[in-house]
Amino acid sequence: NGVVVENGEDYYVVDIEGKNAQQLYDNVNAWIMSNFKNPDAVSSKENGKMLKLHGVFPDAVFIGNRLGFKDVADVDLELMMYFKDGKIRFDVPVVNRMKIHPKDSELFFSGARFTGTNMFKKDGSENKPKIIQSFNIFINGLIGTIVTEAKKTNDW
């Protein structure tokens, strides 16, 4: 089913006390501005209310070692964030593509027939537990980084 939240919802809310919606938005927007070469190309926004991040995250998922090479996947995803006083809502990320290199194949949640790698079998059971773990570390790490940046006090 792609990316899911443990409680079954299609979004995840993080409480951040002491910050209003504009402060949270400004901090996350500043993080995007400082971490992407062309921030206007990777984000859409409604000032103080919503940010949509669309980016390719290189080497995001570790696939494994093969013949002395490290196989990794770049993840192209979209992440919607909504801001309220003391809260950020993250919609479940939309994964557009996961490209494995140097193999030049694709990583799928499931459904690949002859090319690519499936993380899950057709019945939903795990096919590649280490890759699933690496993917989860990436997604949770990305959201964790954004939350950490949102909490910062920019008082210089």
Side-chain angles (χ1 to χ4, degrees):
N1 293 328
V3 181
V4 295
V5 179
E6 285 181 352
N7 66 5
E9 297 289 342
D10 60 353
Y11 61 90
Y12 176 68
V13 177
V14 178
D15 293 319
I16 302 175
E17 296 299 319
K19 299 278 184 189
N20 65 34
Q22 188 66 50
Q23 291 169 318
L24 294 170
Y25 171 90
D26 288 344
N27 286 355
V28 174
N29 191 45
W31 175 78
I32 291 170
M33 299 282 289
S34 65
N35 282 280
F36 291 88
K37 290 179 183 176
N38 191 350
D40 290 333
V42 300
S43 67
S44 304
K45 42 190 133 180
E46 184 177 337
N47 190 19
K49 295 180 182 181
M50 179 274 299
L51 276 167
K52 177 181 181 181
L53 174 62
H54 174 212
V56 176
F57 295 84
D59 303 343
V61 178
F62 177 72
I63 304 301
N65 291 311
R66 177 183 52 88
L67 302 172
F69 292 100
K70 179 179 174 183
D71 289 339
V72 291
D74 299 340
V75 177
D76 177 346
L77 66 77
E78 297 173 15
L79 179 62
M80 292 290 295
M81 296 165 276
Y82 301 91
F83 302 88
K84 287 187 176 182
D85 291 347
K87 296 178 186 220
I88 301 176
R89 171 184 158 161
F90 295 90
D91 281 357
V92 170
V94 174
V95 177
N96 299 312
R97 186 174 190 198
M98 296 182 281
K99 180 88 169 158
I100 300 173
H101 58 86
K103 270 174 73 172
D104 198 31
S105 65
E106 291 198 49
L107 177 62
F108 298 97
F109 290 106
S110 66
R113 297 198 67 169
F114 301 111
T115 61
T117 301
N118 288 319
M119 288 192 275
F120 294 92
K121 297 176 184 175
K122 284 184 181 180
D123 66 4
S125 64
E126 292 183 345
N127 187 41
K128 302 285 184 183
K130 289 184 179 181
I131 297 174
I132 295 167
Q133 179 184 14
S134 180
F135 180 84
N136 287 335
I137 288 169
F138 160 67
I139 291 291
N140 291 326
L142 174 62
I143 291 173
T145 297
I146 293 170
V147 168
T148 297
E149 292 298 317
K151 290 178 179 180
K152 285 189 175 177
T153 301
N154 294 329
D155 187 21
W156 56 277

